[in-house]
Amino acid sequence: MNQSAEDIRPPSDLRPEIPHPARIYNYFLGGKDHFPADRAAAEQVLAFAPNTPSAARANRAFLQRAVRYVAGEGITQFLDIGTGIPTAGNTHEVAQQVDPGVKVVYIDNDPIVLAHARALMAGPGHGATTVLQADLRDPKSILADPRVQEAIDFGQPVALMLVAVLHFVDDEQDPQGIVATLLDALAPGSFLILSHATGDFDPPEHAVAGKAAYQKAAAQVSPRTHPEVLRLFDGLELLEPGVVAVPKWRPEDAEAAEAWAPGYAGVARKG
C-alpha cells in the first residue's frame, strides 16, 4: 500500500459525536467501526426499515459483481470514491483476484476510513492500493491530487466507482456535474459503476424518516427517482440490464435477485 508521511499521522478529526454515513453503513454490514452517535442514527433507520442490513449486503454484492465484470474486461485501474470502512470483499480484493496487477485508489472523507484501511492493508498481499482522504463534492481537487496522479494513468481506461455515495450529495451541490467532471478526466473505454438510494420502492413516510435519521449526520441523504439516477449516466453506453434495482443487476442466482434493496444500480462505458 502507498503511504506518505501525512498518511501515517493518526487522524485527529474523527468527530465521534456526529454520525457519519460510512460508519452507519459499517453498522448495517455488521462491522465494529462506529460510535454511539452512528449507532443511534442507524437504529432510527432500522425502526422503520428493519431490512436495511440486507439492503447493505445487496449493495456490497453489486459492487463485487460489477468490479469482477470490468476487471474481466481488462480494466486495471479503479478510482473508488466514497469507499466506506473496509470489510470483506473490498474492490481491490475482488479486482486483484482477476488480475493481481490491478491498481486501486480509495477515497473517502471520513478519517476513520483511512485509519482502518491503512491498518488492514499494512501487510503484504494487497497489491497497488492507495487510500486518501478527500471529498467527492470537490472532484477537481481529487483529480489534481498528486497522489491520485501518481497512482492513476488517466491516459488509460479507469473504472470510476460511485457506489452508494451520491445520495449524500444534495441537488444544490450538483451531483450530475460532479459525475461529469470526473468522467471528463477519464479515457475512452473507462467505466462508471454506480448505485444510488431511492424512495421509489417505499411509502413516502419512509423517505421522510430516512432523511430525519441522517439530519444530524455529516451528510444528509437525498434519495432520487429512476429518471434522476438515469441522468447520472448521460453520455455513456449503459450495459445491460440498464439502471435497475440493485439486486437485479446481473444477479448470480434467483434468490439474490429478489433481495430487498431500495436503490438503483448500473454500469456504463465511456465511448
Side-chain angles (χ1 to χ4, degrees), residues 193-238:
I193 297 173
L194 184 150
S195 66
H196 195 296
T198 187
D200 287 357
F201 310 147
D202 291 324
E205 58 267 23
H206 279 200
V208 173
K211 285 179 177 289
Y214 282 89
Q215 188 172 10
K216 297 180 180 178
Q220 284 67 55
V221 65
S222 297
R224 293 186 169 93
T225 64
H226 187 270
E228 289 172 327
V229 176
L230 190 60
R231 280 197 291 273
L232 297 171
F233 292 90
D234 277 359
L236 302 177
E237 175 196 350
L238 265 171

Side-chain angles (χ1 to χ4, degrees), residues 104-194:
V104 178
V105 176
Y106 288 119
I107 292 177
D108 203 284
N109 68 353
D110 185 357
I112 199 172
V113 171
L114 276 72
H116 284 278
R118 292 170 191 150
L120 175 70
M121 292 183 280
H126 294 287
T129 305
T130 303
V131 186
L132 304 174
Q133 184 176 354
D135 199 309
L136 172 62
R137 292 166 290 194
D138 189 1
K140 292 182 179 178
S141 291
I142 291 175
L143 295 169
D145 191 304
R147 296 166 295 180
V148 174
Q149 291 284 332
E150 180 183 0
I152 298 289
D153 178 359
F154 285 98
Q156 299 297 320
V158 177
L160 170 63
M161 300 182 59
L162 298 171
V163 177
V165 64
L166 278 168
H167 46 249
F168 296 112
V169 177
D170 62 35
D171 291 341
E172 289 71 23
Q173 293 164 330
D174 190 14
Q176 192 166 5
I178 289 171
V179 175
T181 297
L182 292 167
L183 287 170
D184 283 348
L186 305 186
S190 294
F191 286 85
L192 172 62
I193 297 173
L194 184 150

